[in-house]
Amino acid sequence: LKVLSHIDSILRSPRAPPLIYRRSKGPVQNYIKENGQECGFEHLPLTIEMWADQLMALKDLHRSLRKLSLELVPWHTADPQDNRESIRVEDLQFIVDAILEEIENKDKNSQTPSLPTLFAIVSHFQKLFDVNSLNGVYPRMNEVYTKLGEMTNAMRNLHELLELDSSAPPTVVVDTVGKLCDIINENVTEQVQQLLGTQDIHSIISKLEEHECFLPPFQALIQDLLYLLEISNVDDILPTVRNLK
């Protein structure tokens, strides 16, 4: 009777599911408690058998959820209940919550590229910069980054030297440098013409030929004078000759 009373108290507990307590409808299947009230236990074997089957099914469900978790969130470590003989609903809920959290985060970070997208990006980089293997991707990235930095600094300096706006495209910089070179070449030509005292290219050639004919003998004469006068500086030639006179 004490055992029956204890069972009955469990069945009538507010925490007990309604499924496990039913009032008996037949006098033969009833058990009489100490206080004379009836309690029905005839349906409990079937309920307990059903629960036993459900508990066994929990292991299969847990195994399936673990496989699903390894596919969706492989970076999550195995939960500490993997080695338990009995599986609790809390263990299954833990796995489901982890999967749901990952799905929610993935929805929030929908801009994160997928693995095929990343592979396509790497392949495109290899084609653009002629990289044959994956091992060469990082060195070529560093090389491109260094060259880009050097070109950026060079363009910034050219903008400042040419007094161009920083937003001016490279084509404007190239055109400006070309115009500046043309101006410099024109100035050099004018200076040469003024130096030789002629505006005619043929006269310039004649002047150069005259200088080529005159300079070697003159240089030889100067060298002989320096040797004969025992001096080493051209500026000392005239004072030395005057002294001899």
Side-chain angles (χ1 to χ4, degrees), residues 55-56 58-59 62 79-92:
L55 289 175
M56 293 298 296
L58 282 180
K59 293 184 178 181
H62 180 266
D79 60 87
Q81 306 298 334
D82 278 350
N83 297 326
R84 291 172 57 100
E85 293 183 359
S86 60
I87 303 300
R88 300 177 303 176
V89 176
E90 291 86 346
D91 304 332
L92 307 181

Side-chain angles (χ1 to χ4, degrees), residues 205-218:
I205 294 174
S206 299
K207 291 286 186 180
L208 291 175
E209 290 177 348
E210 291 176 1
H211 282 79
E212 288 180 355
C213 293
F214 171 75
L215 285 176
F218 178 76

Side-chain angles (χ1 to χ4, degrees), residues 95-156:
I95 301 175
V96 173
D97 290 342
I99 296 175
L100 291 177
E101 181 180 359
E102 181 61 28
I103 293 176
E104 292 175 356
N105 293 335
K106 186 175 182 180
D107 292 338
K108 293 179 181 178
N109 302 324
S110 57
Q111 298 299 324
T112 302
S114 61
L115 186 60
T117 302
L118 294 176
F119 180 77
I121 292 173
V122 173
S123 299
H124 187 61
F125 180 88
Q126 289 181 263
K127 292 179 181 179
L128 289 178
F129 298 99
D130 193 23
V131 182
N132 297 325
S133 64
L134 291 177
N135 294 331
V137 170
Y138 280 111
R140 185 57 58 87
M141 281 184 175
N142 294 333
E143 181 182 353
V144 172
Y145 178 79
T146 301
K147 294 295 183 182
L148 178 61
E150 293 175 355
M151 294 184 61
T152 301
N153 292 333
M155 291 298 294
R156 185 185 302 112

Side-chain angles (χ1 to χ4, degrees), residues 154-164 176 180:
M155 291 298 294
R156 185 185 302 112
N157 293 333
L158 287 174
H159 280 91
E160 293 177 357
L161 291 174
L162 300 175
E163 297 182 353
L164 296 175
T176 305
L180 183 60

Side-chain angles (χ1 to χ4, degrees), residues 2 13 24 27 31 38 43 65 70 98 114 116 125 127 142 153 155 161 167 197 217 219 224 236 243-244:
K2 289 183 179 181
S13 171
S24 176
Y31 294 93
E38 63 180 14
H43 70 285
L65 285 177
L70 291 175
S114 61
F125 180 88
K127 292 179 181 179
N142 294 333
N153 292 333
M155 291 298 294
L161 291 174
S167 61
Q219 184 178 8
D224 292 339
D236 297 333
N243 293 333
L244 293 176

